[in-house]
Amino acid sequence: MSGIIQLLPDHVANQIAAGEVVQRPASVVKELLENAVDARSTEIKLVVKEAGKTLIQVIDNGIGMGVTDARLCFERHATSKIRHAEDLFALHTKGFRGEALASIAAIAHVELKTRQEQEELGTHIVIEGSKFVSQDVAVVPKGTSFSVKNLFFNIPARRNFLKSDNVEFRHIVDEFERVALAHPNISFILYHNGSEMFNLPAANYRQRIVGIFGSRTNEKLVPIEETTEIVKLHGFVLKPEFAKKSKGEQFFFVNNRFIKSGYLHHAVMAAYEGLLKDGCQPGYFIYLDLPPNNIDINIHPTKTEIKFDDEHALYAILRSAVKHSLGQFNVAPVLDFDRDATLDTPYDYQSKGVSMPTVEVDRTFNPFADDNDAPQSKRSSSSGGGNSFSRRQEKNASWESLYTGLMPAKEDIEGMNFEMEEVTGSLFNENEVEHPEHKTYQIHKKYIVSPIKSGMIIINQERAHQRILYEQFLRNITVQQEASQQLLFPLVLEYNKTEIDLITEMQPALENTGFVFDAVKDDEIVISGLPINVSEGEVTVLLEELIRDLQQEVPDSSFSQNDSIAKSMAKSLSVKTGTLLTEREQEGIVNSLFACKEPDVSPFNKPTFITMSVEDLDKRFSI
C-alpha cells in the first residue's frame, strides 16, 4: 500500500505560506517597507496603483544587494538577519523569517532592481508566480526597487475576497503610518494613482506626528519620558479634552516596531482615570526601548504582538510615567503645597497698623413709633442732623405704585399654561402623534408597555427608536430630500487626513440626511447646517462613531455604505436605556414603530418588542 503523506511542491508550499504572510495588499507594503528600513535607507518612496491590486512599488536608497543575494532573497527561509536560533532573542531588525519575498513572488509578478554603492552595474530580476523569467545586468540607481504587480493573479479566489479600493488603500495608509512614525529620521513619500498623498521629510518624533496627523495635532501633545533599568520610555499622549470614542490615534512601538497590546493600553487608561468622559479613549504615541533578550517577537505571524519578560513592572512604569506627565504639564489636577505669592500682603501695607472700625448706634430709635411719638432728642436730631432713615421711609412710601398695571388680571393667570420642569423636550411633533384609546406605561426607563386586545405588548424603547430613525435616514438618503436647520455660527471640526478622506467619501450621503458642508479641508471640516433632529452637541460624537463604524468594516457598494451610515446615525441618535419619556413620547414611539416597514426587529436584527397574551398571564397565575 502506497503512502498517503507526500511532500508538497515548492510553489504550493509558497502559496500556502503566502496565505499567512500576505492577506491583502497592505501586507506586501508592510514587508517591503520594513526591508527598506533594514537596508539602512534614508529615503523611501511607496508607489501604489488601484490600492495595490495593480502595482506596489517600494524604492529606497539603501545598501542594495549583489547578484547572488538578489537571486537568493526569493528562496524560502533565506534571510540576512539571523544565523542561529539564539539570534531570535537578539533582534535589532524587522524582517527575519525569510518568507516574505518568497511568498510575495509566489502570488504576483515581481520585478527587482538593485545595485550596491561600490558596483557600477546592478541586477534586474523578473519573477512570475515563483518562476524566474529573467535575470540581467542593468544600469540602475543605488539601492533597491521592488515592483509587485497583479497581486493574487494565480489565486482568483483570494483576489475576489479583497474589499473596495478605498478600503484596501486605508489599510495601506495604516501600515505606511506605522512604519513612518517608528522612523522619523527617514524620509517617506507615498503616491497613489499618480497623486502625492504624503511627503514626510526627515524630522524628530513630534514633527513626524504633526506631519501625518495635521498641524493642529501639535497643541494636543503632552510629552512623556522615563528612563529605568527595565525600559526607556518616551513619546507623547494627547490631552484629555481631545479624547475620542474611537481608537484611531493609539500607537505603541517597542524597539521601533509597531505592536498591539491590550495590557499596555490598560495602563494608559489607568493613568487617565478621572480625566475622561464615559466611553472616550485617549490618543498616544509611546515608544519603548527594551533589551532584545527581554522580549519575544516571534509569537505572531504579523509580528504585531510581543511577549514581555516582566509585564507587571512595565505596566507600573508606563502608568506612572503618563500620570506624571499629565500632572507636570497641568493637565491633571495636583496638590501643590507651595506658598502662593498672590496671597502675600502688598509691600505698601506692610508697615501700616490695623485700625478697628467704629460703629455708632442710636439707642433711642424705635421702628414702630410715629414721628410725633418719637422722643424730643430724636426729632431734634432729625431736624438738625437729618435722619437718613426717615427720608428713605418717605421716599419709598409709595413703592407699590411703581408696579401698578404690571400684574395680570386673575382670569389671565388662570388661562396661562406653565411648562413642567420634568419635560425638557419632545421627540415628536404634536401633529405626528395620534392619541390612542389606551395609555402607555414606561418600566425601568427601558421598556414601554401598551395594552392590546389580546393582552399587552412590551417594547424596547432604544431598539424601537433605532428602527424608526433608521428607516427615516435611509429614506432621506434614497429620496435625497431632507430639510436642514441652519447654524448661526458654523461648526469647525478637526480630523486627520484619513478621517477627512472618509468624510469626503460619505459627504453625499450625509448631505442627503440634512448636513450642509461649507468646506472640507486637509485637516478640518466646516458645517453650517444640521439635520432637524441633531443638535450641535451631538455632531462630534455622531461623526466620530460614524467614522469608527465605517473604519471597522467599510462596505463595497454605495447602497451598503448608505445602509451603514443610516444604521450608525440611528444608533447614535436613538433614545438610550435610562431615558425618562413623557406619555406623548411613549405614544409617539409606539405609533411610529408600527408605521415602519419592518417593526419586528431593529436595524441590527434584534427584536424590538414582545407580546404577552391574556392566556399567558392566566397560565402564570394558575401555578
Side-chain angles (χ1 to χ4, degrees), residues 22 24 26 137 190 202 227 237 290 295 307 332 397 411 414 430 445 450 462-463 494 537 539 560 608:
V22 184
R24 58 194 340 147
V137 178
L190 171 59
T227 302
V237 294
L290 288 86
I295 58 176
K307 185 176 181 181
E411 57 271 12
E414 293 177 353
E430 295 182 1
K445 300 179 182 179
S450 177
E462 183 174 0
R463 295 180 183 177
E494 302 173 4
V539 176
S560 299
T608 57

PDB file of all heavy atoms in Angstrom, residues 22 24 26 137 190 202 227 237 290 295 307 332 397 411 414 430 445 450 462-463 494 537 539 560 608:
ATOM      1  N   VAL A  22       0.752  37.196   3.350  1.00  0.00           N
ATOM      2  CA  VAL A  22       0.115  38.200   2.501  1.00  0.00           C
ATOM      3  C   VAL A  22      -1.397  37.995   2.552  1.00  0.00           C
ATOM      4  O   VAL A  22      -1.938  37.117   1.877  1.00  0.00           O
ATOM      5  CB  VAL A  22       0.623  38.106   1.044  1.00  0.00           C
ATOM      6  CG1 VAL A  22       0.013  39.216   0.208  1.00  0.00           C
ATOM      7  CG2 VAL A  22       2.131  38.164   1.004  1.00  0.00           C
ATOM      8  N   ARG A  24      -3.542  40.813   2.274  1.00  0.00           N
ATOM      9  CA  ARG A  24      -4.083  41.857   1.416  1.00  0.00           C
ATOM     10  C   ARG A  24      -2.926  42.715   0.930  1.00  0.00           C
ATOM     11  O   ARG A  24      -1.783  42.519   1.359  1.00  0.00           O
ATOM     12  CB  ARG A  24      -5.118  42.693   2.174  1.00  0.00           C
ATOM     13  CG  ARG A  24      -4.566  43.329   3.415  1.00  0.00           C
ATOM     14  CD  ARG A  24      -5.627  43.880   4.364  1.00  0.00           C
ATOM     15  NE  ARG A  24      -6.901  44.110   3.761  1.00  0.00           N
ATOM     16  CZ  ARG A  24      -8.062  43.958   4.425  1.00  0.00           C
ATOM     17  NH1 ARG A  24      -8.035  43.530   5.679  1.00  0.00           N
ATOM     18  NH2 ARG A  24      -9.205  44.217   3.834  1.00  0.00           N
ATOM     19  N   ALA A  26      -1.920  45.561   1.747  1.00  0.00           N
ATOM     20  CA  ALA A  26      -1.232  46.226   2.850  1.00  0.00           C
ATOM     21  C   ALA A  26      -0.154  45.335   3.455  1.00  0.00           C
ATOM     22  O   ALA A  26       0.854  45.837   3.962  1.00  0.00           O
ATOM     23  CB  ALA A  26      -2.237  46.637   3.923  1.00  0.00           C
ATOM     24  N   VAL A 137      21.914  42.059 -16.220  1.00  0.00           N
ATOM     25  CA  VAL A 137      22.703  43.162 -15.694  1.00  0.00           C
ATOM     26  C   VAL A 137      22.126  44.458 -16.243  1.00  0.00           C
ATOM     27  O   VAL A 137      21.833  44.558 -17.443  1.00  0.00           O
ATOM     28  CB  VAL A 137      24.193  43.018 -16.081  1.00  0.00           C
ATOM     29  CG1 VAL A 137      24.988  44.200 -15.569  1.00  0.00           C
ATOM     30  CG2 VAL A 137      24.740  41.707 -15.533  1.00  0.00           C
ATOM     31  N   LEU A 190       4.555  58.897  -0.271  1.00  0.00           N
ATOM     32  CA  LEU A 190       3.527  57.956  -0.715  1.00  0.00           C
ATOM     33  C   LEU A 190       2.777  58.552  -1.904  1.00  0.00           C
ATOM     34  O   LEU A 190       2.257  59.667  -1.826  1.00  0.00           O
ATOM     35  CB  LEU A 190       2.539  57.642   0.417  1.00  0.00           C
ATOM     36  CG  LEU A 190       1.281  56.845   0.042  1.00  0.00           C
ATOM     37  CD1 LEU A 190       1.640  55.497  -0.560  1.00  0.00           C
ATOM     38  CD2 LEU A 190       0.374  56.661   1.256  1.00  0.00           C
ATOM     39  N   ALA A 202      12.707  63.964   6.732  1.00  0.00           N
ATOM     40  CA  ALA A 202      13.326  63.504   7.982  1.00  0.00           C
ATOM     41  C   ALA A 202      13.142  64.566   9.057  1.00  0.00           C
ATOM     42  O   ALA A 202      13.361  65.762   8.819  1.00  0.00           O
ATOM     43  CB  ALA A 202      14.796  63.202   7.749  1.00  0.00           C
ATOM     44  N   THR A 227      13.199  56.924  32.145  1.00  0.00           N
ATOM     45  CA  THR A 227      14.319  56.004  31.923  1.00  0.00           C
ATOM     46  C   THR A 227      14.540  55.182  33.189  1.00  0.00           C
ATOM     47  O   THR A 227      14.756  55.736  34.265  1.00  0.00           O
ATOM     48  CB  THR A 227      15.601  56.775  31.566  1.00  0.00           C
ATOM     49  OG1 THR A 227      15.354  57.563  30.394  1.00  0.00           O
ATOM     50  CG2 THR A 227      16.742  55.814  31.293  1.00  0.00           C
ATOM     51  N   VAL A 237       1.385  61.782  24.716  1.00  0.00           N
ATOM     52  CA  VAL A 237      -0.016  61.430  24.927  1.00  0.00           C
ATOM     53  C   VAL A 237      -0.845  62.666  24.617  1.00  0.00           C
ATOM     54  O   VAL A 237      -0.356  63.796  24.678  1.00  0.00           O
ATOM     55  CB  VAL A 237      -0.285  60.948  26.371  1.00  0.00           C
ATOM     56  CG1 VAL A 237       0.436  59.649  26.646  1.00  0.00           C
ATOM     57  CG2 VAL A 237       0.121  62.007  27.383  1.00  0.00           C
ATOM     58  N   LEU A 290      13.546  48.351  24.925  1.00  0.00           N
ATOM     59  CA  LEU A 290      13.860  47.291  25.873  1.00  0.00           C
ATOM     60  C   LEU A 290      15.022  46.470  25.339  1.00  0.00           C
ATOM     61  O   LEU A 290      15.244  46.403  24.122  1.00  0.00           O
ATOM     62  CB  LEU A 290      12.660  46.369  26.100  1.00  0.00           C
ATOM     63  CG  LEU A 290      11.470  46.900  26.896  1.00  0.00           C
ATOM     64  CD1 LEU A 290      10.506  47.639  25.994  1.00  0.00           C
ATOM     65  CD2 LEU A 290      10.744  45.752  27.596  1.00  0.00           C
ATOM     66  N   ILE A 295      12.297  40.399  25.407  1.00  0.00           N
ATOM     67  CA  ILE A 295      11.039  40.319  24.664  1.00  0.00           C
ATOM     68  C   ILE A 295      11.127  39.168  23.671  1.00  0.00           C
ATOM     69  O   ILE A 295      12.217  38.736  23.285  1.00  0.00           O
ATOM     70  CB  ILE A 295      10.736  41.634  23.907  1.00  0.00           C
ATOM     71  CG1 ILE A 295      11.870  41.971  22.935  1.00  0.00           C
ATOM     72  CG2 ILE A 295      10.496  42.781  24.871  1.00  0.00           C
ATOM     73  CD1 ILE A 295      11.608  43.183  22.088  1.00  0.00           C
ATOM     74  N   LYS A 307       5.660  39.289  23.479  1.00  0.00           N
ATOM     75  CA  LYS A 307       5.620  38.766  24.837  1.00  0.00           C
ATOM     76  C   LYS A 307       6.753  39.398  25.637  1.00  0.00           C
ATOM     77  O   LYS A 307       7.919  39.348  25.235  1.00  0.00           O
ATOM     78  CB  LYS A 307       5.759  37.241  24.826  1.00  0.00           C
ATOM     79  CG  LYS A 307       5.602  36.610  26.197  1.00  0.00           C
ATOM     80  CD  LYS A 307       5.661  35.092  26.102  1.00  0.00           C
ATOM     81  CE  LYS A 307       5.477  34.458  27.477  1.00  0.00           C
ATOM     82  NZ  LYS A 307       5.547  32.985  27.410  1.00  0.00           N
ATOM     83  N   ALA A 332      -3.648  67.374  34.552  1.00  0.00           N
ATOM     84  CA  ALA A 332      -4.409  66.717  35.612  1.00  0.00           C
ATOM     85  C   ALA A 332      -4.323  67.552  36.885  1.00  0.00           C
ATOM     86  O   ALA A 332      -3.324  68.231  37.127  1.00  0.00           O
ATOM     87  CB  ALA A 332      -3.857  65.306  35.868  1.00  0.00           C
ATOM     88  N   ALA A 397     -42.215 105.291  50.441  1.00  0.00           N
ATOM     89  CA  ALA A 397     -43.555 105.029  50.974  1.00  0.00           C
ATOM     90  C   ALA A 397     -44.494 104.559  49.881  1.00  0.00           C
ATOM     91  O   ALA A 397     -45.391 103.753  50.117  1.00  0.00           O
ATOM     92  CB  ALA A 397     -44.109 106.285  51.653  1.00  0.00           C
ATOM     93  N   GLU A 411     -58.067  86.413  35.807  1.00  0.00           N
ATOM     94  CA  GLU A 411     -58.512  85.488  34.772  1.00  0.00           C
ATOM     95  C   GLU A 411     -57.410  85.194  33.779  1.00  0.00           C
ATOM     96  O   GLU A 411     -57.373  84.126  33.169  1.00  0.00           O
ATOM     97  CB  GLU A 411     -59.732  86.060  34.051  1.00  0.00           C
ATOM     98  CG  GLU A 411     -59.504  87.444  33.431  1.00  0.00           C
ATOM     99  CD  GLU A 411     -59.833  88.554  34.432  1.00  0.00           C
ATOM    100  OE1 GLU A 411     -60.005  88.210  35.640  1.00  0.00           O
ATOM    101  OE2 GLU A 411     -59.926  89.714  34.031  1.00  0.00           O
ATOM    102  N   GLU A 414     -55.188  82.437  35.296  1.00  0.00           N
ATOM    103  CA  GLU A 414     -55.790  81.106  35.254  1.00  0.00           C
ATOM    104  C   GLU A 414     -55.728  80.504  33.848  1.00  0.00           C
ATOM    105  O   GLU A 414     -55.699  79.307  33.678  1.00  0.00           O
ATOM    106  CB  GLU A 414     -57.237  81.207  35.717  1.00  0.00           C
ATOM    107  CG  GLU A 414     -57.373  81.582  37.198  1.00  0.00           C
ATOM    108  CD  GLU A 414     -58.826  81.754  37.602  1.00  0.00           C
ATOM    109  OE1 GLU A 414     -59.688  81.715  36.690  1.00  0.00           O
ATOM    110  OE2 GLU A 414     -59.103  81.913  38.809  1.00  0.00           O
ATOM    111  N   GLU A 430     -46.355  67.493  17.680  1.00  0.00           N
ATOM    112  CA  GLU A 430     -47.700  67.184  18.140  1.00  0.00           C
ATOM    113  C   GLU A 430     -48.582  66.685  17.001  1.00  0.00           C
ATOM    114  O   GLU A 430     -49.466  65.865  17.189  1.00  0.00           O
ATOM    115  CB  GLU A 430     -48.317  68.427  18.780  1.00  0.00           C
ATOM    116  CG  GLU A 430     -47.604  68.878  20.053  1.00  0.00           C
ATOM    117  CD  GLU A 430     -48.292  70.076  20.676  1.00  0.00           C
ATOM    118  OE1 GLU A 430     -49.322  70.510  20.102  1.00  0.00           O
ATOM    119  OE2 GLU A 430     -47.826  70.564  21.715  1.00  0.00           O
ATOM    120  N   LYS A 445     -37.391  52.789  32.863  1.00  0.00           N
ATOM    121  CA  LYS A 445     -36.803  53.685  31.859  1.00  0.00           C
ATOM    122  C   LYS A 445     -36.173  52.905  30.691  1.00  0.00           C
ATOM    123  O   LYS A 445     -35.203  53.328  30.087  1.00  0.00           O
ATOM    124  CB  LYS A 445     -35.740  54.597  32.477  1.00  0.00           C
ATOM    125  CG  LYS A 445     -36.257  55.489  33.584  1.00  0.00           C
ATOM    126  CD  LYS A 445     -35.135  56.351  34.159  1.00  0.00           C
ATOM    127  CE  LYS A 445     -35.630  57.211  35.305  1.00  0.00           C
ATOM    128  NZ  LYS A 445     -34.538  58.037  35.891  1.00  0.00           N
ATOM    129  N   SER A 450     -47.814  48.640  26.503  1.00  0.00           N
ATOM    130  CA  SER A 450     -49.077  49.151  25.971  1.00  0.00           C
ATOM    131  C   SER A 450     -50.063  47.998  25.865  1.00  0.00           C
ATOM    132  O   SER A 450     -49.720  46.929  25.336  1.00  0.00           O
ATOM    133  CB  SER A 450     -48.845  49.780  24.590  1.00  0.00           C
ATOM    134  OG  SER A 450     -50.075  50.215  24.036  1.00  0.00           O
ATOM    135  N   GLU A 462     -35.151  51.743  23.104  1.00  0.00           N
ATOM    136  CA  GLU A 462     -33.954  52.080  22.326  1.00  0.00           C
ATOM    137  C   GLU A 462     -33.971  51.393  20.962  1.00  0.00           C
ATOM    138  O   GLU A 462     -33.724  52.023  19.928  1.00  0.00           O
ATOM    139  CB  GLU A 462     -32.697  51.690  23.101  1.00  0.00           C
ATOM    140  CG  GLU A 462     -31.404  52.063  22.388  1.00  0.00           C
ATOM    141  CD  GLU A 462     -30.175  51.796  23.240  1.00  0.00           C
ATOM    142  OE1 GLU A 462     -30.331  51.327  24.388  1.00  0.00           O
ATOM    143  OE2 GLU A 462     -29.053  52.043  22.748  1.00  0.00           O
ATOM    144  N   ARG A 463     -34.270  50.112  20.939  1.00  0.00           N
ATOM    145  CA  ARG A 463     -34.293  49.390  19.666  1.00  0.00           C
ATOM    146  C   ARG A 463     -35.416  49.893  18.765  1.00  0.00           C
ATOM    147  O   ARG A 463     -35.248  49.984  17.545  1.00  0.00           O
ATOM    148  CB  ARG A 463     -34.452  47.898  19.921  1.00  0.00           C
ATOM    149  CG  ARG A 463     -33.279  47.263  20.664  1.00  0.00           C
ATOM    150  CD  ARG A 463     -33.519  45.783  20.872  1.00  0.00           C
ATOM    151  NE  ARG A 463     -32.447  45.167  21.650  1.00  0.00           N
ATOM    152  CZ  ARG A 463     -32.435  43.896  22.031  1.00  0.00           C
ATOM    153  NH1 ARG A 463     -33.449  43.096  21.685  1.00  0.00           N
ATOM    154  NH2 ARG A 463     -31.440  43.401  22.744  1.00  0.00           N
ATOM    155  N   GLU A 494     -12.026  69.264  13.670  1.00  0.00           N
ATOM    156  CA  GLU A 494     -10.695  68.859  13.216  1.00  0.00           C
ATOM    157  C   GLU A 494     -10.604  67.342  13.117  1.00  0.00           C
ATOM    158  O   GLU A 494     -11.088  66.622  13.992  1.00  0.00           O
ATOM    159  CB  GLU A 494      -9.631  69.373  14.199  1.00  0.00           C
ATOM    160  CG  GLU A 494      -9.638  70.880  14.390  1.00  0.00           C
ATOM    161  CD  GLU A 494      -8.687  71.313  15.479  1.00  0.00           C
ATOM    162  OE1 GLU A 494      -7.973  70.431  16.015  1.00  0.00           O
ATOM    163  OE2 GLU A 494      -8.646  72.505  15.810  1.00  0.00           O
ATOM    164  N   GLY A 537     -24.361  69.774  19.944  1.00  0.00           N
ATOM    165  CA  GLY A 537     -23.544  68.977  20.845  1.00  0.00           C
ATOM    166  C   GLY A 537     -23.413  67.527  20.430  1.00  0.00           C
ATOM    167  O   GLY A 537     -22.495  66.833  20.887  1.00  0.00           O
ATOM    168  N   VAL A 539     -23.044  66.499  17.223  1.00  0.00           N
ATOM    169  CA  VAL A 539     -22.385  66.352  15.924  1.00  0.00           C
ATOM    170  C   VAL A 539     -21.057  65.634  16.066  1.00  0.00           C
ATOM    171  O   VAL A 539     -20.747  64.687  15.330  1.00  0.00           O
ATOM    172  CB  VAL A 539     -22.193  67.727  15.262  1.00  0.00           C
ATOM    173  CG1 VAL A 539     -21.416  67.583  13.956  1.00  0.00           C
ATOM    174  CG2 VAL A 539     -23.538  68.368  14.997  1.00  0.00           C
ATOM    175  N   SER A 560     -24.756  49.650   0.233  1.00  0.00           N
ATOM    176  CA  SER A 560     -24.323  49.119   1.528  1.00  0.00           C
ATOM    177  C   SER A 560     -23.730  50.218   2.390  1.00  0.00           C
ATOM    178  O   SER A 560     -23.910  50.231   3.613  1.00  0.00           O
ATOM    179  CB  SER A 560     -23.313  47.994   1.326  1.00  0.00           C
ATOM    180  OG  SER A 560     -23.882  46.933   0.599  1.00  0.00           O
ATOM    181  N   THR A 608     -37.577  44.125  18.631  1.00  0.00           N
ATOM    182  CA  THR A 608     -37.951  45.419  19.207  1.00  0.00           C
ATOM    183  C   THR A 608     -39.072  45.307  20.235  1.00  0.00           C
ATOM    184  O   THR A 608     -39.201  46.179  21.090  1.00  0.00           O
ATOM    185  CB  THR A 608     -38.393  46.380  18.096  1.00  0.00           C
ATOM    186  OG1 THR A 608     -39.469  45.774  17.375  1.00  0.00           O
ATOM    187  CG2 THR A 608     -37.246  46.664  17.139  1.00  0.00           C
TER     188      THR A 608
END
